[in-house]
Amino acid sequence: MANHKSSMKRIRQTKTRTLHNRYYAKTMRNAVRKLRAMTDKEEAIKLYPSVQKMLDKLAKTNVIHKNKAANLKSSLCKHINKLG
C-alpha cells in the first residue's frame, strides 16, 4: 500500500483515467464492429466519418496508438470499398 500523499493521489488519478480510457476504447471497438457488420455501402459511408473522427481523437489522447488508428481506418476503408 502507498505511504506517501502523492502516491495515494497518483493511485486515485490512475483509477479515474483507466475507467475513462476503458469506456472510450470500448465505445470505439463497438463503433468499428458496427461499421464492419454493415452490408449497405451508403450507410457505411455515412457512418465512416464519425468513426474516423473517434479514432483520431483517441490516438491524439494516447488511448490507442496512432498506428493502430491508421490501420483501423485503412481496413475500414477497404471494407467500405468492397461493399456492393
Side-chain angles (χ1 to χ4, degrees):
M1 188 61 203
N3 293 320
H4 295 281
K5 254 187 166 179
S6 61
S7 56
M8 304 277 264
K9 181 179 178 180
R10 181 62 64 195
I11 289 168
R12 288 195 311 270
Q13 286 176 329
T14 303
K15 236 184 260 184
T16 307
R17 288 194 184 121
T18 302
L19 280 173
H20 179 267
N21 290 344
R22 194 183 296 157
Y23 169 78
Y24 283 103
K26 184 69 173 177
T27 306
M28 178 266 306
R29 283 197 301 274
N30 287 337
V32 169
R33 276 193 205 112
K34 184 178 175 185
L35 188 59
R36 283 217 178 103
M38 286 190 171
T39 54
D40 183 32
K41 190 171 188 168
E42 296 302 317
E43 284 184 37
I45 288 172
K46 284 181 188 173
L47 183 64
Y48 180 71
S50 61
V51 175
Q52 183 180 10
K53 185 178 178 183
M54 188 186 303
L55 288 168
D56 288 336
K57 277 187 177 180
L58 293 179
K60 188 172 123 183
T61 55
N62 291 322
V63 175
I64 60 172
H65 196 273
K66 62 177 185 165
N67 291 354
K68 181 182 176 82
N71 289 337
L72 283 171
K73 288 193 294 185
S74 173
S75 69
L76 289 173
C77 264
K78 283 180 186 174
H79 170 72
I80 291 171
N81 287 334
K82 272 191 216 172
L83 294 175

